[in-house]
């Protein structure tokens, strides 16, 4: 009895969990088939305003790529109408609508040609032909671009199929799938004759286009969109067969493309991991590393310890165990590599020693400069303290007839922390002058000489 109760409880828990998943993940309940088809059909046309919006968005994206401004490129992707025909192709495949397919392909072709022509004209101007990181980034797709394109296509058609459209989702998909930058890069390749840029960018654009269309097709089938009704049953059958054939022709290369990109990314990751492990272990500098999956080749240059044949054999064994046998390694290294490293170490040591010598020289120069400043200061003081004694003596004789002798000396005194030099004038007076008169006259002469010689330290004293 208890076992029956436990099984019933388990079934109830499972039902609750299934209902929770259904309510959370089911997208069929809120689907609006007719409105979605109308929205996609209205977004396919490229005439009039749509064409000019495409031209302007291409110009904005081209300018953003030319200046490596991510914000500008994102703005261009937001206003681009390129997504409409691609979603239209996927929808037409899903509902067997040949007329919609023709219209979507026609407008898609016009958009691509118009975008390429606009970007070609922009990049034909010489000042806009510099190769930037944003342009280079759109020339080598990998497996992540496939995942982004397919996931973006799924998010877009799911958002479009809702009764309440989610504008944020649609805008985010336009940014994530990045249809505009590859077309602009292809136009740059055409304008500059860089065919590797053109080929890589068009390959990336093709990947985005195919997987967005496939995602749309898959969701349309999953949501059971109504099929296009044809009066002639045989015609309907032929159209259905033709569109399914077209879908298969698109799907098969896409699967192969995804597989190749996945293997390329996986190969590059595993090779990089093996080489980085060796580099960190042996303290070797790896330069100009190029990993070529198509030719199963890895090439790089080394600085430091030499790479031995044993190292290469070990790498090949590790990669073979991970599914990549017979990888070729092309390593540029000198037989004197170790000597080169020793030379570098010697140069570093010499540089360090030279820096020490220069630092000492600099200290000596600073010390000598301080000494020079001190000498200049003393010279200035000495020059300032010089007195034209002969001239002063004649002027004293003329102005003060009572002075019979004049003497001059420099009095040096100290407080044991610093020295000071005091110029001193000694005067000998006649016997007819009293001590009080001599003091008054000496005070007057001292003031006069201080003003004349611009020296407040000067002192006048009586000569005994």
């Amino acid at each position: 009895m208890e076992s029956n109760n436990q099984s019933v409880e388990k079934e109830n828990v499972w039902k609750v969990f299934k209902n929770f998943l259904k309510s959370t993940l089911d997208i069929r309940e809120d689907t609006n088939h007719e409105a979605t088809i109308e929205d996609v059909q209205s977004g396919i046309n490229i005439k009039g305003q749509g064409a000019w919006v495409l031209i302007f968005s291409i110009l904005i994206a081209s300018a953003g790529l030319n200046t490596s401004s991510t914000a500008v490129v994102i703005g261009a992707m937001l206003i681009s109408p390129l997504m409409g025909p691609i979603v239209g192709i996927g929808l037409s495949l899903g509902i067997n609508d040949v007329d919609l397919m023709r219209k979507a392909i026609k407008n898609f072709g016009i958009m691509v040609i118009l975008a390429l022509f606009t970007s070609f004209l922009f990049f034909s101007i010489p000042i806009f032909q510099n190769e930037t990181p944003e342009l280079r980034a759109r020339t080598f797709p990998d497996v992540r671009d496939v995942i982004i394109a397919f996931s973006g296509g799924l998010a877009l058609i799911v958002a479009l199929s809702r009764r309440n459209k989610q504008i944020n989702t649609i805008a985010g998909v336009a940014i994530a799938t990045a249809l505009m930058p590859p077309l602009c890069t292809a136009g740059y390749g055409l304008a500059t004759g860089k065919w590797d840029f053109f080929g890589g960018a068009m390959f990336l654009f093709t990947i985005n286009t195919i997987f967005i269309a496939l995602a749309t097709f898959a969701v349309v089938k999953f949501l059971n969109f109504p099929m296009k009704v044809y009066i002639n049953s045989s015609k309907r059958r032929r159209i259905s067969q033709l569109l399914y054939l077209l879908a298969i022709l698109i799907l098969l290369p896409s699967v192969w493309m995804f597989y190749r990109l996945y293997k390329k990314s996986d190969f590059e990751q595993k090779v990089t991991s093996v080489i980085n492990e060796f580099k960190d272990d042996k303290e070797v500098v790896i330069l100009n590393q190029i990993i070529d999956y198509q030719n199963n080749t890895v090439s790089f240059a080394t600085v430091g310890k030499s790479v031995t044949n044993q190292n290469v054999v070990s790498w090949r064994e590790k990669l073979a165990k991970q599914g990549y046998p017979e990888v070729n390694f092309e390593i540029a290294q000198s037989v004197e590599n170790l000597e080169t490293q020793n030379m570098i170490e010697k140069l570093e040591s010499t540089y360090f020693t030279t820096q020490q010598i220069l630092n000492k020289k600099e200290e000596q120069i600073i010390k000598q400069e301080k000494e020079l400043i001190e000498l200049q200061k003393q010279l200035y003081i000495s020059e300032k303290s010089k007195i034209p004694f002969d001239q002063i003596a004649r002027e004293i004789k003329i102005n003060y007839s009572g002075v019979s002798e004049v003497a001059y000396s420099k009095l040096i005194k100290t407080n044991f922390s610093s020295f000071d030099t005091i110029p001193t004038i000694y005067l000998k007076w006649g016997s007819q002058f009293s001590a009080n008169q001599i003091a008054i006259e000496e005070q007057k002469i001292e003031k006069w000489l201080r003003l004349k010689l611009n020296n407040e330290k000067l002192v006048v004293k009586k000569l005994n």
Side-chain angles (χ1 to χ4, degrees):
M1 189 71 177
E2 289 182 4
S3 60
N4 290 335
N5 291 334
Q6 288 178 352
S7 62
V8 170
E9 288 179 2
K10 288 181 180 178
E11 287 180 6
N12 291 334
V13 170
W14 176 242
K15 285 181 181 178
V16 170
F17 181 68
K18 284 200 304 183
N19 290 333
F20 170 75
L21 286 179
K22 184 177 180 182
S23 62
T24 303
L25 302 176
D26 190 14
I27 61 174
R28 287 173 293 190
E29 291 184 4
D30 194 35
T31 301
N32 191 335
H33 296 141
E34 292 77 12
T36 303
I37 294 173
E38 288 178 6
D39 289 341
V40 172
Q41 287 176 336
S42 63
I44 288 175
N45 288 324
I46 189 59
K47 295 179 181 179
Q49 291 90 338
W52 283 108
V53 169
L54 177 64
I55 291 171
F56 296 143
S57 61
I58 286 288
L59 288 174
I60 294 171
S62 298
L65 293 171
N66 181 251
T67 57
S68 286
S69 174
T70 306
V72 174
V73 175
I74 289 174
M77 289 187 286
L78 280 172
I79 62 176
S80 167
L82 267 173
M83 195 75 72
I86 299 173
V87 175
I89 292 172
L91 177 66
S92 62
L93 283 172
I95 63 175
N96 286 357
D97 192 335
V98 176
D99 295 330
L100 182 60
M101 168 69 73
R102 290 198 192 99
K103 186 178 179 181
I105 292 176
K106 175 185 174 183
N107 283 278
F108 176 72
I110 293 172
M111 283 189 177
V112 171
I113 293 170
L114 192 58
L116 286 174
F117 182 70
T118 303
S119 59
F120 170 80
L121 290 179
F122 178 86
F123 287 112
S124 294
I125 301 172
I127 61 172
F128 300 142
Q129 291 184 350
N130 54 310
E131 185 179 310
T132 64
E134 285 287 335
L135 285 167
R136 286 193 295 272
R138 268 73 185 191
T139 59
F140 40 87
D142 61 21
V143 68
R144 287 165 293 191
D145 293 301
V146 175
I147 295 171
I148 292 169
F150 191 71
S151 301
L154 290 173
L156 178 62
I157 189 61
V158 168
L160 285 174
S161 65
R162 291 171 58 89
R163 286 188 177 88
N164 299 317
K165 302 290 187 291
Q166 292 183 323
I167 303 301
N168 291 338
T169 303
I170 297 170
V173 170
I175 296 171
T177 51
L179 290 166
M180 296 285 288
L183 275 180
C184 295
T185 304
Y188 170 81
L190 285 175
T192 58
K194 296 180 179 179
W195 301 111
D196 54 335
F197 273 69
F198 176 77
M202 287 305 296
F203 184 40
L204 176 58
F205 177 73
T206 302
I207 288 172
N208 289 341
T209 300
I210 289 174
F211 280 92
I212 291 171
L214 281 177
T216 304
F217 171 78
V219 172
V220 165
K221 284 297 183 184
F222 176 76
L223 294 177
N224 294 319
F225 271 62
M227 307 292 284
K228 179 69 179 289
V229 178
Y230 294 94
I231 299 175
N232 191 326
S233 59
S234 60
K235 180 181 178 181
R236 178 176 58 80
R237 196 181 306 112
R238 286 196 306 272
I239 290 172
S240 178
Q241 292 172 350
L242 177 64
L243 292 177
Y244 271 110
L245 177 62
L246 181 60
I248 292 171
L249 290 176
I250 293 174
L251 178 63
L252 291 178
S254 302
V255 172
W256 174 247
M257 191 184 302
F258 176 82
Y259 174 76
R260 292 289 294 177
L261 289 172
Y262 168 77
K263 294 296 288 183
K264 178 176 178 290
S265 299
D266 187 58
F267 177 71
E268 291 174 351
Q269 182 181 5
K270 286 182 168 58
V271 168
T272 302
S273 176
V274 168
I275 293 176
N276 285 343
E277 183 180 345
F278 169 79
K279 180 177 67 174
D280 297 337
D281 183 45
K282 301 295 183 181
E283 296 183 353
V284 177
V285 178
I286 304 294
L287 303 174
N288 301 326
Q289 180 176 307
I290 300 174
I291 302 173
D292 188 351
Y293 170 69
Q294 191 169 357
N295 296 316
N296 208 29
T297 303
V298 180
S299 61
F300 56 85
T302 64
V303 175
K305 296 180 181 179
S306 300
V307 177
T308 64
N309 291 331
Q310 186 177 358
N311 296 136
V312 175
V313 170
S314 174
W315 297 343
R316 285 177 176 166
E317 289 176 352
K318 288 181 180 179
L319 291 171
K321 290 179 182 179
Q322 298 178 55
Y324 300 102
E326 299 180 2
V327 177
N328 297 316
F329 287 89
E330 299 175 354
I331 305 170
Q333 61 181 353
S334 171
V335 292
E336 296 89 7
N337 219 350
L338 187 56
E339 295 179 6
T340 303
Q341 181 66 17
N342 292 334
M343 183 65 71
I344 291 173
E345 291 176 358
K346 288 180 181 179
L347 288 172
E348 289 177 347
S349 177
T350 304
Y351 173 77
F352 180 72
T353 304
T354 304
Q355 284 295 112
Q356 286 183 320
I357 294 172
L358 289 174
N359 289 338
K360 289 182 179 178
K361 290 288 184 184
E362 189 174 354
E363 289 176 1
Q364 291 177 356
I365 291 171
I366 292 172
K367 183 179 179 182
Q368 290 173 353
E369 286 179 347
K370 287 182 178 179
E371 292 176 353
L372 180 60
I373 291 170
E374 185 64 28
L375 288 172
Q376 288 175 339
K377 182 179 178 182
Q378 292 178 7
L379 179 61
Y380 172 77
I381 294 172
S382 176
E383 290 293 330
K384 186 177 180 182
S385 64
K386 278 186 178 180
I387 290 178
F389 178 71
D390 183 52
Q391 180 183 349
I392 294 297
R394 287 198 302 268
E395 289 184 10
I396 290 175
K397 184 179 179 181
I398 293 169
N399 295 317
Y400 299 94
S401 57
V403 177
S404 58
E405 289 184 21
V406 179
Y408 167 72
S409 69
K410 290 182 179 179
L411 177 66
I412 300 175
K413 69 175 184 178
T414 180
N415 58 3
F416 303 106
S417 62
S418 63
F419 289 86
D420 197 6
T421 302
I422 301 173
T424 306
I425 300 291
Y426 296 93
L427 304 176
K428 188 172 182 180
W429 298 86
S431 58
Q432 70 273 23
F433 290 94
S434 65
N436 189 34
Q437 288 176 322
I438 292 172
I440 293 171
E441 292 298 320
E442 284 182 348
Q443 190 175 6
K444 288 168 61 178
I445 293 172
E446 185 178 86
K447 289 181 179 180
W448 165 58
L449 289 176
R450 283 184 177 182
L451 179 63
K452 177 179 179 64
L453 300 175
N454 191 23
N455 192 330
E456 293 297 324
K457 293 182 179 181
L458 186 139
V459 175
V460 175
K461 291 186 176 183
K462 182 179 178 183
L463 180 66
N464 296 324

